[in-house]
Amino acid sequence: MPRRRSTTHARRPVLHESTIIVDGLAVTVLRKRIANMYLRVRPQGAMVVVSAPADLGDERIAAFVRSKAGWITVQRSRILDAEANGDVLVWTPDAEAAARRVIEQRLPGLLARWRPIVGRSPSAVTIRKMTTRWGSCTPATGRIRLNLQLGLMEPKFLEYVVVHEMTHLWARGHGERFQRLMDGWLPGWRGVRREMNRQRVLPSPSRPC
């Protein structure tokens, strides 16, 4: 899944906003009272934004951006290509309601099916609009979050994400243990993941990180 582990930082107030140039790329830096750095590429204009701890230096932030250069390039290319083709889709109230309804209808059956297979169950499942991830899991609390867009996609993608995030209740990262569990539970998951990663994430209205 694209890398953005938490959205709790989004609600933190911005203490200072600045722009740094990293290898020719303008990066907006939002300094907040947070412990870690978070990266996003905004749907409008493919702007790169980093939320960073208030006292972190520009050099550390630039190194962080460079470490994500490949992912940034892919995300910006998708957004800019879509804009150039006039193919920028946004959420409408009707689409949002329909997507949420589909997920809420499918989710109980998926959890009932996979709970005995995985051997663990999420403490809570929330549905939200995401621009960089299809889902996320906080193993410490057992909470799983699903991208609302899954309700507009083929059912196999929702099932894959549910199983993927439930697997994180056993394995935090995507290492050997995670892959071994997924191979046993959902053979062929890599092919579904590749197909899914070719799907474009619908942008939502821009707002501060």
Side-chain angles (χ1 to χ4, degrees):
M1 299 291 170
R3 306 283 295 181
R4 190 154 63 109
R5 291 186 178 276
S6 173
T7 57
T8 56
H9 70 96
R11 297 186 289 272
R12 302 293 176 86
V14 176
L15 304 176
H16 178 69
E17 179 175 339
S18 62
T19 301
I20 62 173
I21 305 299
V22 181
D23 299 336
L25 177 67
V27 177
T28 298
V29 178
L30 305 178
R31 285 186 165 82
K32 306 179 180 183
R33 290 191 179 92
I34 53 178
N36 301 301
M37 283 185 283
Y38 301 90
L39 172 70
R40 68 182 295 195
V41 179
R42 286 183 175 168
Q44 288 75 25
M47 179 188 298
V48 179
V49 180
V50 173
S51 297
D55 58 352
L56 199 66
D58 288 352
E59 297 81 5
R60 292 275 303 280
I61 297 171
F64 175 69
V65 172
R66 289 189 181 100
S67 74
K68 308 295 183 183
W71 181 82
I72 292 172
T73 298
V74 170
Q75 299 304 314
R76 295 191 77 243
S77 294
R78 288 176 176 173
I79 293 170
L80 294 174
D81 286 349
E83 290 181 349
N85 295 330
D87 188 28
V88 180
L89 302 176
V90 295
W91 284 105
T92 65
D94 287 345
E96 182 173 345
R100 188 175 299 276
R101 185 164 55 250
V102 168
I103 294 176
E104 289 174 347
Q105 289 172 349
R106 293 175 180 168
L107 189 58
L110 288 172
L111 292 175
R113 175 185 177 186
W114 287 101
R115 188 181 293 114
I117 297 173
V118 174
R120 289 191 178 181
S121 181
S123 60
V125 179
T126 56
I127 305 166
R128 60 179 60 172
K129 285 180 284 188
M130 302 180 184
T131 58
T132 60
R133 305 192 73 170
W134 297 112
S136 65
C137 175
T138 305
T141 63
R143 297 183 65 88
I144 286 176
R145 289 157 292 278
L146 301 174
N147 191 324
L148 181 63
Q149 187 174 335
L150 291 166
L152 303 179
M153 300 165 69
E154 292 181 55
K156 65 181 179 181
F157 295 130
L158 176 60
E159 181 174 39
Y160 161 71
V161 174
V162 168
V163 177
H164 181 119
E165 302 308 338
M166 289 179 71
T167 303
H168 280 310
L169 298 174
W170 289 106
R172 288 177 177 268
H174 297 96
E176 183 179 347
R177 186 186 186 202
F178 173 87
Q179 294 180 47
R180 184 173 65 252
L181 291 171
M182 287 290 291
D183 286 341
W185 292 334
L186 196 66
W189 65 274
R190 290 177 178 84
V192 179
R193 180 184 63 181
R194 285 193 296 269
E195 185 178 352
M196 188 171 192
N197 286 337
R198 290 195 291 267
Q199 307 292 316
R200 187 162 56 82
V201 181
L202 297 180
S204 56
S206 179
R207 60 178 182 272
C209 289

